[in-house]
Amino acid sequence: MLIVALVYVWPGYRVPVFWYGIVFGAVSLGAAATWWLSRRTSDDAAHYADKYFNLRDSVRSKVNFEQAGKSGGFYDLQSKQTELLVNDSQVKSIPFEPAYRIGIVGILLIMISVGLGFKPISPTILARLEQEQSVAQLTSSANRELEQLIDDLEESLDDENERKLLEPDKLRKWVDELRETTDHKEAMRQYAKLELKFNRAAEALAQRRDEKLLTAAAEQLKKDKTSKDLAEKLKQKKYKLAADELKKMKPGEHDPGQREKLSQKRKEIAKLKAAANRMANAARGTKSKLGQSSEKQSKRNGKQNQASNSNAQPSDNGDNANAQEMEGELSEAEHELAQMLEEFEDAIEDWDDQLEEMELADLDPSDQDFEEMEEGCRECEGDAMGKLDDLADKLMRMARKRSAQAKLRKLGKKCAACQSAGTMVVRSQQKGGKKAGKGSVDSQRDTADDFGDNGQYTKLKGLKGQGPSLTKTESADDGSGVSHRRSAAKNREFKKQFESFVGREDIPEGLKNGVKNYFTNIHGTSDDATEDSNDLDSAANPRDE
Amino acid sequence: MSTASTPHTEQEAREFVDIFNRVRSEVAKFIVGQEQIVEDVLIAIICGGHVLLEGVPGLGKTALVNTISQALHLKFKRIQFTPDLLPADIVGTQILTSRNGDKQLEFQPGPVFCNILLADEINRATPKTQSALLETMQEKSVTVAGHTHQLDQPFFTLATQNPIEQDGTFPLPEAQLDRFFFKLFVKLPSHDEFSEILNRTGGNHTPDISPVASGDDIIKMGNLLRNVPIDKPVQDHLVRVVRATHPDNPHASDEVKRFVRYGSSPRGAQSILAAAKARALLQGRFHVASEDVNQMALPALRHRIMLSFEGEAEGLSTDSIVESVIERNSN
């Protein structure tokens, strides 16, 4: 029992009462079994009596002879002699020697064991048990909430395509892998892993390049009043609405046979053409490194300069130059959207050319050539509208991806929230912090507070005139003021520290991104460089403007 | 189960003790000290066994046997063994005699035809001569020229060995040693015993030894002690002791395993049992106790255990081996 009590008391637990019953029962059974197995026989008793009274095996021999049924002659003599000897012996003179030592030791051990049973559970263990319980409750409720989120997400999915992007079954499987646990670190670890999965899934749906292209296209479109709505939608990344806007720009049905209608149609097409041109220019800007400007592009640029359109503003060659300022690291094969925009522009241009040609030809509808030209116009129209529909579908797909990505990020944020909640559960149970009524209403602290050892080894800083600064001011020579050699060494050190920080799994993704953005802002790099590349050298070395 | 009536048995037991004590007392008139030797020799005689006495010359071994034979009114003969002694010198031979004018071979019995034979320095005779005596001891008869001649009963041989003159001797082989009931060491008398010896033998008067028992008494006593019962645990103890002298016994001690080559044969256990029964009666008990076994084990086993080369090199004695075996198996 002492051993059992020590097993509990040593780490700080309280001895469960049922153990006393178990040990008592086990000891009783063991004692009974030991007594039964080691109990003495009459032969043992006879032998002991012979030894004690120095009877020289008389009693034992007599007992055994009688048991064997031997009698007569020497057996009777032996029996009689033994009786005489036994009669002369004082049985009561055999001393009872209780095991005092064992008894005293046993009583002491029992007293100690019982005493240990009254020892209460240590505060440390109590706190840990409370923490474990809190963590268990937290994980239980968090898991339920995540499951509910997945259910809500699945219910909200009307679009089959978005369902395919999100794969809710896979998400549900990830959430089902979560387990209730009392271990705080294990809980944080599993939520961090889940958050990573969600964020990676969201990253897989990223379409930054296309979005960047559309943002650039929006900048171009903004310059034209007719395409301002489309530009706005593209800039706000409301691609579904942008697709609708694009479809609205489809010209109405007109009979190409009527000359007046042709002009009208051409006017309507001009809006679309201008928009297509601007978007295509934005796309071409991304292909500056490959230098793949099509002949049609240059031809179109020339025609745009000559054409007069009341609704369309003259194209700005500077816009092309501005669009080309974007980094052209994309290959044509990868940039489907850019290709679509260019093809759309080509299709519109061809259609417009066909209409212009037909307008200029001014043929009679009964003329054979008229029919051919009409057929050509219809083909071009079909091609152009097809390209427009393709573009609209592309925008719709982008909208769905964006929506799915947002939902995944929301799930990731929920996981981050669970981690934060778990951290708060642990911190709230640790020592430290001011007690009620001990705080301060001032916005600054003039004296340092001693919070004691709460496991957190960073102290609040920020006293006026005290504390370290995260930035250093170094002496600077003329010019950049920074030595490249020292900065390179600093960059390497920063890179190592940053990589180890990013690689940790117990830090929420949101926190990592915040830190990354913070240091990025310190070094003054663009978002593009930070998002497109993990090369921290570029983040550390600002571009020369 | 004894068939004799209890009163008769009790009387016989009393007579056993009386006769034994009478003989012992009678022997003690002449032999100074050596009480245990006398007792052991008498026990061996009663049990029908032979004794090997080992001691330096002059300790009264011959006198002891002679005195016993007088006290028991038994025929006593002594043979001094020498290297040139022949078997015929022991058992007898046929001689050509002339009777009524006819020459015929007549068996002339040797000194072995007696009740008590003292074979002095038996290890000085050749093995052939030794074997002639030892065969006689075992068979209690002599066969010469195809004729078997029975020896008188009781027949008891007391052989002696001199431990200090080992050169030119023929040590008895183990198989022959096993035929001796007891091997006893005759030690030097104490100071007082020395004085008493001188007192008794220095003058003209020597004590007269009267016969206080006969050979029939010895035979009767031998028959009586066979009825003394032994309890199974005591007998088990006896068997354990004897078996523990064997090095291949799993319960043998490390000492036995290391220093003993051969252990005692069952004949040793028989000797112990018979002697223990005799001792029990002498102690006034009607059953054999473990104490009797322990007491009789040493003289019965010491000559039946062969030491290994390592044991002899260590200078161990069989006595220490037997004593350690007895102590280890006593409960």
Side-chain angles (χ1 to χ4, degrees):
Chain A
M1 189 60 226
L2 180 64
I3 293 173
V4 172
L6 284 174
V7 165
Y8 279 95
V9 170
W10 188 266
Y13 291 93
R14 188 189 172 110
V15 183
V17 176
F18 66 81
W19 268 112
Y20 285 97
I22 291 174
V23 171
F24 178 75
V27 167
S28 300
L29 277 174
T34 305
W35 170 81
W36 178 257
L37 292 172
S38 65
R39 70 190 190 284
R40 302 293 185 176
T41 61
S42 59
D43 188 65
D44 294 328
H47 184 60
Y48 183 84
D50 283 334
K51 271 199 161 180
Y52 183 77
F53 293 111
N54 198 21
L55 300 180
R56 297 188 177 89
D57 299 317
S58 295
V59 176
R60 190 162 72 169
S61 296
K62 172 179 159 50
V63 170
N64 288 339
F65 291 153
E66 284 175 0
Q67 283 179 354
K70 294 184 177 173
S71 62
F74 277 105
Y75 295 105
D76 290 344
L77 289 171
Q78 196 271 338
S79 174
K80 207 184 297 183
Q81 187 181 50
T82 304
E83 284 173 11
L84 290 171
L85 289 171
V86 168
N87 288 337
D88 292 340
S89 304
Q90 299 290 328
V91 176
K92 289 185 181 176
S93 67
I94 299 178
F96 173 69
E97 295 175 358
Y100 285 116
R101 266 188 222 168
I102 293 177
I104 289 172
V105 170
I107 289 171
L108 274 174
L109 289 176
I110 289 172
M111 285 171 63
I112 293 170
S113 305
V114 171
L116 286 175
F118 289 101
K119 193 173 185 308
I121 193 167
S122 74
T124 312
I125 299 296
L126 203 61
R128 197 174 77 205
L129 289 174
E130 286 175 5
Q131 178 186 325
E132 286 177 357
Q133 194 180 7
S134 303
V135 170
Q137 284 174 357
L138 171 73
T139 53
S140 174
S141 65
N143 293 354
R144 277 198 301 273
E145 285 175 17
L146 282 167
E147 286 170 6
Q148 187 62 41
L149 276 176
I150 299 292
D151 291 338
D152 295 342
L153 176 74
E154 199 168 2
E155 280 176 13
S156 67
L157 289 174
D158 298 324
D159 191 348
E160 191 59 35
N161 293 322
E162 192 175 353
R163 183 181 289 275
K164 284 180 186 172
L165 285 173
L166 276 174
E167 296 179 275
D169 291 336
K170 189 169 78 175
L171 301 180
R172 187 183 302 285
K173 192 178 159 192
W174 289 349
V175 173
D176 287 343
E177 288 173 0
L178 295 175
R179 294 282 173 265
E180 281 185 37
T181 177
T182 56
D183 184 3
H184 169 254
K185 282 187 182 171
E186 178 60 28
M188 295 302 105
R189 201 176 295 126
Q190 65 179 359
Y191 289 128
K193 277 186 185 170
L194 184 60
E195 184 191 359
L196 196 64
K197 283 182 187 174
F198 284 141
N199 289 339
R200 280 181 179 161
E203 278 300 312
L205 297 175
Q207 44 193 4
R208 289 193 193 92
R209 292 171 185 169
D210 288 348
E211 288 180 4
K212 232 182 294 182
L213 172 57
L214 290 177
T215 304
E219 291 297 320
Q220 298 295 318
L221 289 169
K222 206 166 54 173
K223 295 170 184 170
D224 188 349
K225 276 195 298 188
T226 58
S227 55
K228 259 191 181 172
D229 290 336
L230 177 61
E232 195 60 35
K233 299 294 185 292
L234 287 176
K235 190 175 179 183
Q236 291 175 0
K237 298 186 182 177
K238 295 177 180 176
Y239 297 126
K240 187 170 180 294
L241 297 175
D244 293 338
E245 282 294 328
L246 191 62
K247 285 184 180 174
K248 281 183 194 173
M249 294 174 80
K250 275 186 182 179
E253 290 288 333
H254 293 286
D255 183 359
Q258 299 178 1
R259 188 187 171 81
E260 301 79 22
K261 303 294 181 190
L262 271 175
S263 307
Q264 182 66 27
K265 192 145 193 179
R266 282 200 70 206
K267 283 181 188 173
E268 290 173 2
I269 288 172
K271 283 193 293 185
L272 191 58
K273 184 176 159 186
N277 180 251
R278 290 185 188 281
M279 288 193 291
N281 285 339
R284 276 189 286 277
T286 64
K287 296 193 289 187
S288 62
K289 275 195 178 179
L290 293 176
Q292 288 188 0
S293 294
S294 63
E295 291 182 2
K296 284 189 178 179
Q297 175 190 354
S298 52
K299 180 183 173 185
R300 245 174 253 116
N301 286 339
K303 280 191 179 177
Q304 279 177 355
N305 290 332
Q306 294 173 5
S308 61
N309 192 322
S310 61
N311 290 327
Q313 292 177 1
S315 64
D316 187 357
N317 287 330
D319 291 339
N320 288 337
N322 288 335
Q324 289 175 4
E325 283 176 2
M326 287 178 61
E327 293 184 5
E329 292 180 315
L330 305 171
S331 66
E332 188 174 358
E334 290 175 343
H335 209 162
E336 177 196 0
L337 180 60
Q339 190 72 18
M340 287 175 75
L341 290 173
E342 286 186 347
E343 288 175 0
F344 176 57
E345 184 197 29
D346 291 342
I348 294 290
E349 285 285 346
D350 289 342
W351 188 21
D352 187 53
D353 289 345
Q354 198 71 21
L355 286 174
E356 184 186 14
E357 193 178 327
M358 195 169 175
E359 188 181 17
L360 289 174
D362 194 17
L363 295 171
D364 193 75
S366 59
D367 201 334
Q368 182 72 21
D369 292 338
F370 181 85
E371 286 182 10
E372 288 177 6
M373 292 185 88
E374 186 185 20
E375 186 63 28
C377 284
R378 288 196 199 285
E379 282 180 12
C380 289
E381 182 181 358
D383 187 32
M385 292 302 102
K387 291 282 189 277
L388 186 145
D389 288 336
D390 290 343
L391 191 60
D393 288 342
K394 173 71 177 176
L395 289 173
M396 288 298 291
R397 287 199 299 274
M398 287 180 68
R400 283 194 287 272
K401 269 193 179 179
R402 201 173 158 73
S403 167
Q405 196 180 41
K407 288 170 183 169
L408 286 171
R409 289 204 192 282
K410 186 180 169 188
L411 288 171
K413 280 182 185 167
K414 178 61 185 171
C415 291
C418 292
Q419 292 173 66
S420 300
T423 306
M424 288 310 299
V425 162
V426 171
R427 284 189 188 175
S428 67
Q429 293 172 346
Q430 289 175 345
K431 278 173 33 180
K434 289 180 175 291
K435 294 193 172 85
K438 299 286 181 186
S440 170
V441 299
D442 297 332
S443 60
Q444 66 179 23
R445 292 180 294 123
D446 294 324
T447 57
D449 293 321
D450 184 15
F451 289 99
D453 184 11
N454 60 359
Q456 302 298 324
Y457 295 106
T458 56
K459 287 196 173 182
L460 291 178
K461 290 182 172 52
L463 289 181
K464 194 165 58 175
Q466 292 187 14
S469 169
L470 289 173
T471 58
K472 281 188 181 178
T473 304
E474 300 173 346
S475 62
D477 296 328
D478 292 337
S480 66
V482 176
S483 163
H484 287 287
R485 194 178 299 172
R486 289 178 69 184
S487 70
K490 276 192 348 185
N491 289 338
R492 281 194 292 276
E493 181 63 25
F494 166 70
K495 189 177 177 181
K496 283 179 200 168
Q497 289 175 2
F498 196 78
E499 282 173 350
S500 65
F501 176 76
V502 170
R504 286 171 64 175
E505 288 187 359
D506 58 344
I507 297 177
E509 281 294 317
L511 180 60
K512 286 184 200 175
N513 289 332
V515 169
K516 192 161 66 174
N517 292 335
Y518 173 74
F519 283 103
T520 303
N521 292 333
I522 286 177
H523 292 287
T525 55
S526 66
D527 288 344
D528 298 341
T530 309
E531 287 180 4
D532 284 345
S533 168
N534 288 326
D535 184 0
L536 297 173
D537 285 338
S538 65
N541 295 320
R543 287 178 299 136
D544 291 331
E545 296 295 336
Chain B
M1 191 172 82
S2 172
T3 55
S5 65
T6 303
H8 180 68
T9 305
E10 188 176 5
Q11 188 180 353
E12 282 184 323
R14 270 204 298 273
E15 282 176 9
F16 181 100
V17 177
D18 289 340
I19 292 171
F20 193 95
N21 288 334
R22 279 207 305 268
V23 173
R24 184 161 51 184
S25 301
E26 200 64 27
V27 170
K29 282 182 183 177
F30 189 77
I31 302 296
V32 178
Q34 311 287 358
E35 286 90 1
Q36 191 60 49
I37 298 289
V38 172
E39 180 175 319
D40 288 343
V41 170
L42 287 175
I43 287 174
I45 290 173
I46 293 168
C47 294
H50 311 285
V51 174
L52 179 62
L53 275 180
E54 189 166 299
V56 294
L59 292 181
K61 297 186 290 293
T62 307
L64 169 65
V65 179
N66 194 12
T67 307
I68 289 175
S69 66
Q70 287 179 33
L72 293 175
H73 196 58
L74 295 172
K75 205 187 307 179
F76 167 70
K77 288 280 175 67
R78 176 176 178 274
I79 303 175
Q80 179 62 49
F81 278 59
T82 56
D84 56 349
L85 194 69
L86 296 174
D89 298 333
I90 297 174
V91 300
T93 185
Q94 286 188 318
I95 57 172
L96 192 63
T97 58
S98 174
R99 193 161 292 200
N100 299 328
D102 294 328
K103 288 192 187 337
Q104 55 187 358
L105 288 171
E106 190 176 302
F107 175 68
Q108 188 72 31
V112 78
F113 285 88
C114 62
N115 294 116
I116 297 180
L117 176 67
L118 175 61
D120 239 338
E121 293 184 285
I122 188 173
N123 55 334
R124 290 188 66 195
T126 60
K128 184 176 178 181
T129 304
Q130 289 172 1
S131 65
L133 173 62
L134 294 166
E135 184 185 350
T136 303
M137 284 161 56
Q138 182 66 23
E139 303 297 331
K140 303 274 173 68
S141 64
V142 168
T143 302
V144 176
H147 293 283
T148 302
H149 306 273
Q150 293 294 330
L151 298 178
D152 294 334
Q153 295 300 322
F155 176 72
F156 166 69
T157 299
L158 194 143
T160 65
Q161 286 188 152
N162 187 350
I164 57 175
E165 287 181 0
Q166 296 292 323
D167 294 338
T169 61
F170 301 92
L172 285 170
E174 292 80 9
Q176 306 292 1
L177 280 172
D178 193 39
R179 298 185 193 281
F180 287 95
F181 190 86
F182 276 166
K183 179 179 178 181
L184 304 173
F185 288 119
V186 183
K187 294 188 175 56
L188 207 62
S190 64
H191 178 87
D192 292 338
E193 288 170 352
F194 245 119
S195 299
E196 186 59 27
I197 290 170
L198 293 176
N199 290 340
R200 291 188 190 179
T201 58
N204 288 324
H205 174 72
T206 55
D208 292 327
I209 304 300
S210 307
V212 294
S214 65
D216 292 335
D217 292 331
I218 297 300
I219 292 170
K220 215 188 308 183
M221 288 165 76
N223 292 333
L224 178 68
L225 66 86
R226 287 179 194 281
N227 294 324
V228 176
I230 178 170
D231 191 17
K232 189 166 187 320
V234 178
Q235 187 167 292
D236 289 342
H237 169 63
L238 190 160
V239 171
R240 277 198 301 273
V241 167
V242 174
R243 284 175 57 83
T245 61
H246 289 259
D248 53 353
N249 184 0
H251 300 293
S253 65
D254 293 337
E255 190 181 24
V256 168
K257 287 177 182 174
R258 196 173 158 202
F259 299 126
V260 173
R261 186 151 51 107
Y262 299 114
S264 169
S265 66
R267 195 178 283 151
Q270 290 170 339
S271 302
I272 295 174
L273 178 60
K277 287 183 176 182
R279 186 177 183 275
L281 281 177
L282 290 173
Q283 296 277 324
R285 280 180 280 108
F286 301 109
H287 68 280
V288 178
S290 302
E291 180 187 291
D292 302 324
V293 171
N294 293 343
Q295 198 66 29
M296 295 291 104
L298 183 59
L301 296 181
R302 58 161 53 108
H303 58 290
R304 291 185 164 101
I305 294 175
M306 298 298 121
L307 290 178
S308 65
F309 175 78
E310 192 175 354
E312 289 181 9
E314 291 284 331
L316 294 175
S317 68
T318 55
D319 277 18
S320 62
I321 300 287
V322 173
E323 282 166 357
S324 71
V325 167
I326 293 169
E327 187 179 344
R328 185 182 159 89
N329 287 278
S330 294
N331 50 3

